[in-house]
């Protein structure tokens, strides 16, 4: 088991974090923005790309019209500046600036450009179409910059941080981060519960931790937040430790053991955090609760518990059949832990049958009556 964890950690350390794109990559951008987003295609003046279900779809304006990303319409070519990686895109005949350098230009014939470079110390002035000594090189309007491609106000998932997003506003990029432990969901363009976002990016930057949390290098410890999350203790050359976050495979929960921590089948692990993690993705599912003598159940949706229920007196919850049963159920996952077994039979879980917090009506109706699952 420890071996499996070790492999997972090596795997996640090798995840290559894609850095800022140097050239237009619509396949990547379409995974970072909300469904339906339309953007300039910087390879042409009259073309756009729309993201449908995370895939780019091409479109072009008719006639001589240019695409305007802000109004998302085709407009007269003289009414906007076309910023294109293709230098002859705006004007197929004549001189054009090199979009990527200060001292370069193109001479375009029928849309095909020949590159030229101004003499030493001179830069190309697009307004006069001359090379001019010491002409101030303004910051180039990079055609591949996201803010020359996407309209203002579109959320863009940060490729380096699962909780980060960016937005263009008046051609400047604004960075943002989700509050608390929320992560950014590109398709919804909103901050959501961390369980609902696949985050393959290793935690960065690594923070060194106080001595004592990691006993020795290579230990696995609970993340103290989720049933399936753990940290790997990574020792630095300085002797300090950093923590690398990892998640157990579906159906397994983490627990600390004498040999450093394992991902064990969830039914074997008594865990004080939300046991709904990984459950309820497509339909509502029920899960055992910890520490309740196997009497109650959680109602899970999108990896979080949205309510709970309790079986009728003298019945036990059996997660396998998803219903209450008179047969005594005693699984490590839900049996009373030694600390609470001394208390009376009314454990905390049996006192409530409705703890739904996010108002899902279908869940409330299931949670409010314990007999619904018994009778079904
Ligand atoms: C994305 O948008 C397209 C076009 O509007 C639509 O047909 C499709 O169902 C949408 N996909 C999702 C996942 O909403
Ligand atoms: C979209 O247009 C670009 C540039 O013209 C082209 O390279 C690409 O293959 C096109 N994609 C599709 C799916 O047609
Ligand atoms: C430009 O293209 C047109 C049609 O394709 C052709 O008739 C014309 O000779 C070309 N002009 C030059 C300067 O190559
Ligand atoms: C936004 O974040 C990126 C890296 O994610 C950084 O390079 C850039 O300087 C930041 N911009 C601002 C305005 O904070
Ligand atoms: C988790 O909690 C335990 C007990 O309070 C503590 O010893 C441990 O250091 C905590 N782990 C982390 C990663 O904070
Ligand atoms: C449920 O969704 C989460 C997040 O998208 C994913 O990590 C997990 O593998 C899914 N679980 C199942 C059983 O499909
Ligand atoms: C509940 O316990 C049963 C029996 O051990 C197990 O098969 C099942 O996977 C558990 N369910 C959850 C959600 O922990």
């Amino acid at each position: 088991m420890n071996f499996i964890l070790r492999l997972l950690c090596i795997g996640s350390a090798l995840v290559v974090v894609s850095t800022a794109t140097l050239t237009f990559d619509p396949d990547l951008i379409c995974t970072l923005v909300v469904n339906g987003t339309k953007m300039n295609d910087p390879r042409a003046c009259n073309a756009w790309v729309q993201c449908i279900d995370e895939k780019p779809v091409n479109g072009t304006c008719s006639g001589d019209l240019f695409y305007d990303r802000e109004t998302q319409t085709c407009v007269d070519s003289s009414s906007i500046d076309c910023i294109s990686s293709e230098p002859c895109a705006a004007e197929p005949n004549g001189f054009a600036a090199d979009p990527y350098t200060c001292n370069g230009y193109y001479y375009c014939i029928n849309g095909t450009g020949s590159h030229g470079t101004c003499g030493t110390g001179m830069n190309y002035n697009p307004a006069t179409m001359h090379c001019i000594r010491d002409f101030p090189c303004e910051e180039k309007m990079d055609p591949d910059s996201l803010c020359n491609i996407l309209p203002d106000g579109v959320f863009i998932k940060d490729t380096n941080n699962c909780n980060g997003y960016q937005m263009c506003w008046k051609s400047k990029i604004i960075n943002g981060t989700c509050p608390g432990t929320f992560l950014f969901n590109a398709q919804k363009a909103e901050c959501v519960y961390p369980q609902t976002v696949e985050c393959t990016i290793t935690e960065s930057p690594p923070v060194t931790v106080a001595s004592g949390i990691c006993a020795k290098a290579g230990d696995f410890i609970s993340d103290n937040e989720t049933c399936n999350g753990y940290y790997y203790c990574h020792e630095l050359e300085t002797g300090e430790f950093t923590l690398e976050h990892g998640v157990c495979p579906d159906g397994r929960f983490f627990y600390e053991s004498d040999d450093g921590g394992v991902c064990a089948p969830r039914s074997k692990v008594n865990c004080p955090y939300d046991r709904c993690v990984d459950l309820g993705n497509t339909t509502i599912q029920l899960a055992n609760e910890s520490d309740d003598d196997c009497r109650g159940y959680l109602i899970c949706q999108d990896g979080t518990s949205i309510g709970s229920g309790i079986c009728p007196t003298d019945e036990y919850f059996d997660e396998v059949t998803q219903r209450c049963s008179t047969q005594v159920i005693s699984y490590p996952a839900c049996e009373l832990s030694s600390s609470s077994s001394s208390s009376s039979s009314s454990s905390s879980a049996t006192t409530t049958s409705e703890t739904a917090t996010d108002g899902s009506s279908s869940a409330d109706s299931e949670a409010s009556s314990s007999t619904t699952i018994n009778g079904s």
Side-chain angles (χ1 to χ4, degrees):
M1 217 54 84
N2 213 338
F3 178 67
I4 293 172
L5 271 180
R6 219 170 271 277
L7 282 180
L8 283 173
C9 277
I10 292 165
S12 64
L14 290 179
V15 168
V16 178
V17 176
S18 56
T19 50
T21 45
L22 292 174
T23 52
F24 183 57
D25 183 353
D27 292 294
L28 172 67
I29 295 174
C30 280
T31 63
L32 307 177
V33 296
V34 74
N35 189 27
T37 299
K38 274 172 106 178
M39 68 188 100
N40 268 357
D41 186 337
R43 297 165 297 195
C45 294
N46 64 343
W48 72 80
V49 171
Q50 185 170 23
C51 298
I52 306 280
D53 293 330
E54 304 192 33
K55 292 276 177 291
V57 176
N58 287 341
T60 48
C61 297
S62 58
D64 297 332
L65 300 180
F66 282 3
Y67 182 72
D68 176 20
R69 69 176 188 280
E70 293 302 348
T71 60
Q72 307 197 19
T73 55
C74 294
V75 299
D76 192 283
S77 59
S78 61
S79 66
I80 54 165
D81 284 332
C82 168
I83 302 167
S84 177
S85 54
E86 171 50 60
C88 302
E91 184 50 66
N93 290 293
F95 284 98
D98 177 343
Y100 298 103
T101 67
C102 293
N103 64 351
Y105 59 87
Y106 283 86
Y107 187 67
C108 302
I109 301 171
N110 263 2
T112 307
S114 336
H115 193 254
T117 310
C118 295
T120 315
M122 296 200 272
N123 282 337
Y124 183 75
N125 176 350
T128 64
M129 301 184 198
H130 283 113
C131 289
I132 306 209
R133 184 159 304 283
D134 296 331
F135 184 74
C137 180
E138 292 170 40
E139 207 171 290
K140 275 285 168 179
M141 295 289 282
D142 179 357
D144 301 317
S145 148
L146 283 177
C147 290
N148 284 328
I149 294 173
L150 286 161
D152 276 355
V154 168
F155 286 100
I156 312 151
K157 185 178 163 67
D158 187 338
T159 50
N160 295 315
N161 297 295
C162 292
N163 65 348
Y165 58 85
Q166 299 181 314
M167 180 196 286
C168 295
W169 196 251
K170 306 211 184 299
S171 299
K172 287 251 169 12
I173 204 135
I174 297 171
N175 292 336
T177 40
C178 292
T181 60
F182 282 41
L183 300 181
F184 190 74
N185 177 313
Q187 288 307 302
K188 293 181 178 165
E190 56 190 34
C191 295
V192 296
Y193 288 112
Q195 293 88 340
T196 62
V197 172
E198 195 177 329
C199 182
T200 50
I201 297 159
T202 48
E203 303 283 292
S204 64
V207 280
T208 57
V209 291
S211 60
I213 290 190
C214 292
K216 60 182 190 308
D219 274 358
F220 293 95
I221 57 173
S222 167
D223 68 3
N224 285 355
E225 279 179 20
T226 60
C227 286
N228 61 353
Y230 58 84
Y231 286 113
Y232 172 70
C233 292
H234 178 81
E235 188 171 16
L236 302 175
E237 282 171 11
T238 59
E240 291 171 302
F241 289 105
T242 61
L243 299 180
E244 289 170 13
H245 195 252
V247 175
C248 290
D250 283 353
R252 286 174 180 264
F253 280 176
F254 178 82
Y255 79 91
E256 287 174 26
S257 65
D258 294 342
D259 59 353
V262 297
C263 283
R266 53 188 297 153
S267 58
K268 297 220 159 77
V269 181
N270 184 310
C271 162
Y273 312 110
D274 194 338
R275 295 188 67 92
C276 282
V277 65
D278 278 339
L279 291 180
N281 282 5
T282 50
T283 59
I284 288 187
Q285 283 180 289
L286 306 179
N288 309 314
E289 267 188 284
S290 287
D291 273 345
D292 75 337
D293 202 17
C294 304
R295 306 265 185 180
Y297 52 88
L298 296 171
I299 300 162
C300 306
Q301 187 178 45
D302 293 336
T304 354
S305 68
I306 56 169
S308 63
I310 177 81
C311 291
T313 321
D314 297 333
E315 293 198 7
Y316 293 84
F317 177 65
D318 185 350
E319 205 266 350
V320 178
T321 57
Q322 297 263 299
R323 58 178 64 192
C324 297
S325 139
T326 49
Q327 200 183 331
V328 175
I329 305 283
S330 163
Y331 299 134
C334 51
E335 72 187 5
L336 294 172
S337 61
S338 49
S339 59
S340 54
S341 58
S342 57
S343 69
S344 75
S345 61
S346 64
S347 72
S348 63
T350 61
T351 60
T352 174
S353 63
E354 255 189 37
T355 57
T357 50
D358 73 358
S360 166
S361 55
S362 65
D364 279 354
S365 62
E366 284 211 44
S368 58
S369 168
S370 54
T371 54
T372 49
I373 57 160
N374 189 32
S376 63

